[in-house]
Amino acid sequence: MNSLSAWFWSESFWLPPNVTWAELEHPPPGEEYPRADQLLSCLPLAFGVLAVRVLFERLVAKPCANILQIQAGESRRAQPNAVLERVFTSTTSPESRRVEGLSKQLDWDVRKVQRWFRLRRNQDKPSTLTKFCESMWRLTFYTGIFTYAIRYLWVSPWMWDTRQCWYNYPFQTLSPGQYNYYVAELAFYWSLMFSQFTDIKRKDFLIMFVHHLATITLITFSYCNNMLRIGTMVMCVHDASDIVLELAKLANYAKYQRICDTGFVVFSIVFFITRLVIYPFWIIYSVLVESWEIVGPYRSWWLLNGLLLVLQSLHVFWFYLIARIAIKAIFKGKVAKDDRSDIESSSEEETDTNVKSRNKSHPNGSEQSPKKENGTNGFAKGGTKDH
């Protein structure tokens, strides 16, 4: 066990040349260096964050939703069918050939089978009220933690001169502001990791999982080898655009479409500035170039830069999705359907209602070809999200 620990905490990997763990274990009197065991409290705190979230949604978010007349609503349920249910467990969207086979097997119209699968996919999806409460919780956290970070970083010299992130590295003392910020962020991202399996399911589930995992790894990694100065700036840059996004989503759920559209365009601009300008050309530049000049590269230095570049590649992909929605909002005057939508178009549900009403006038049960309605606001079905 000791040999495994010695291998994992190898000084040749974690620390710059000619630096040992023993030197970091004995800071000057009255000062303290970061230690990995200080982060163990983040896991129980993550469950505490989840508990606070539940209370917040019940006591704060839901009353706000009621004031805005946002109701949970009743999801339409597919009629019980053992044959289709067995197929649904293996594939939620069967191919057209299989749908035709099921149509013959059940003596149903093809459209009726398609509608069953659509209702079955949608019936377990969260309501607008649930999504409103989730967004309001995230807005509250991001606003609070971003305000805390700005107040702390504004008076920090490395905020304005990033080269100071590397002077006297790694012998930089841990401040209470840095510790509180790191623990709060890490506990929150652990809670997001846990809740991802119960929250709104999106098409980029795997990408978000990789994002949360990379973020947790980066936060933990930067804490363990005392890169807190650059780490606090990385987290602050990421929180900035999330505030505007959650505001736009709340406006959308409350059906304030103009505020939603404006907010999403502002979010796109903030996202571009913070994650495609400040992050790569200010922060990554500092880690790649300035730290090389002042400290020099070492093994964990390469890992850190690799993780930062993984996040940057995700930023580029997300901005592509965001830009498509923002452009539609500008030129069409309405936020279009999000490519990561977690629920199918409400116009399809309206179509189903129209089909049912037509069927009542046709005793033989034959279905008429419905005319699909346009103008569905898909942003309410699952706004773009980043972390």
Side-chain angles (χ1 to χ4, degrees), residues 174-385:
L174 172 68
S175 70
Q178 289 173 324
Y179 175 77
N180 294 336
Y181 188 29
Y182 259 76
V183 169
E185 285 277 12
L186 192 55
F188 180 72
Y189 276 103
W190 271 116
S191 73
L192 288 183
M193 176 77 83
F194 299 149
S195 64
Q196 189 183 6
F197 298 93
T198 57
D199 278 349
I200 303 166
K201 298 296 187 298
R202 307 192 191 280
K203 293 180 181 179
D204 66 344
F205 176 90
L206 181 59
I207 292 176
M208 288 304 300
F209 184 85
V210 172
H211 171 266
H212 294 332
L213 186 61
T215 302
I216 290 171
T217 304
L218 265 172
I219 294 174
T220 305
F221 176 86
S222 63
Y223 191 91
C224 289
N225 64 347
N226 202 9
M227 291 185 177
L228 274 64
R229 294 182 178 182
I230 200 70
T232 51
M233 291 193 289
V234 170
M235 293 187 292
C236 184
V237 163
H238 279 75
D239 289 336
S241 60
D242 292 333
I243 297 173
V244 188
L245 172 63
E246 300 303 333
L247 277 171
K249 290 166 68 175
L250 289 175
N252 191 61
Y253 299 145
K255 302 187 186 304
Y256 292 112
Q257 191 60 44
R258 183 171 297 179
I259 297 176
C260 169
D261 294 341
T262 304
F264 195 81
V265 172
V266 172
F267 160 72
S268 305
I269 297 171
V270 174
F271 188 99
F272 178 83
I273 293 173
T274 56
R275 303 201 188 190
L276 297 184
V277 178
I278 295 177
Y279 178 74
F281 297 107
W282 185 36
I283 295 177
I284 292 184
Y285 174 82
S286 177
V287 180
L288 274 174
V289 179
E290 293 175 346
S291 68
W292 180 296
E293 295 173 350
I294 298 172
V295 180
Y298 52 100
R299 293 181 182 179
S300 62
W301 180 91
W302 295 101
L303 176 61
L304 172 68
N305 282 283
L307 291 171
L308 291 175
L309 292 173
V310 166
L311 281 182
Q312 181 58 28
S313 62
L314 293 176
H315 294 162
V316 173
F317 171 74
W318 283 327
F319 186 73
Y320 164 73
L321 298 180
I322 292 167
R324 289 176 58 182
I325 301 171
I327 290 171
K328 291 178 182 178
I330 293 172
F331 291 102
K332 294 186 178 181
K334 196 171 190 180
V335 172
K337 183 176 175 65
D338 187 350
D339 286 337
R340 307 187 310 132
S341 176
D342 62 313
I343 191 170
E344 296 180 43
S345 171
S346 61
S347 64
E348 293 176 334
E349 295 179 3
E350 294 167 3
T351 294
D352 292 338
T353 303
N354 295 337
V355 169
K356 285 187 176 181
S357 63
R358 291 191 185 99
N359 288 344
K360 291 180 181 179
S361 61
H362 292 276
N364 59 2
S366 62
E367 298 181 0
Q368 305 296 315
S369 298
K371 182 179 180 181
K372 188 171 182 178
E373 299 178 18
N374 296 321
T376 300
N377 179 14
F379 187 68
K381 310 303 184 185
T384 303
K385 189 184 176 314

Side-chain angles (χ1 to χ4, degrees), residues 40-55 137 183-184 186-195:
L40 294 177
S41 60
C42 291
L43 286 176
L45 280 175
F47 289 101
V49 171
L50 288 174
V52 172
R53 170 184 171 178
V54 171
L55 291 175
W137 160 247
V183 169
L186 192 55
F188 180 72
Y189 276 103
W190 271 116
S191 73
L192 288 183
M193 176 77 83
F194 299 149
S195 64

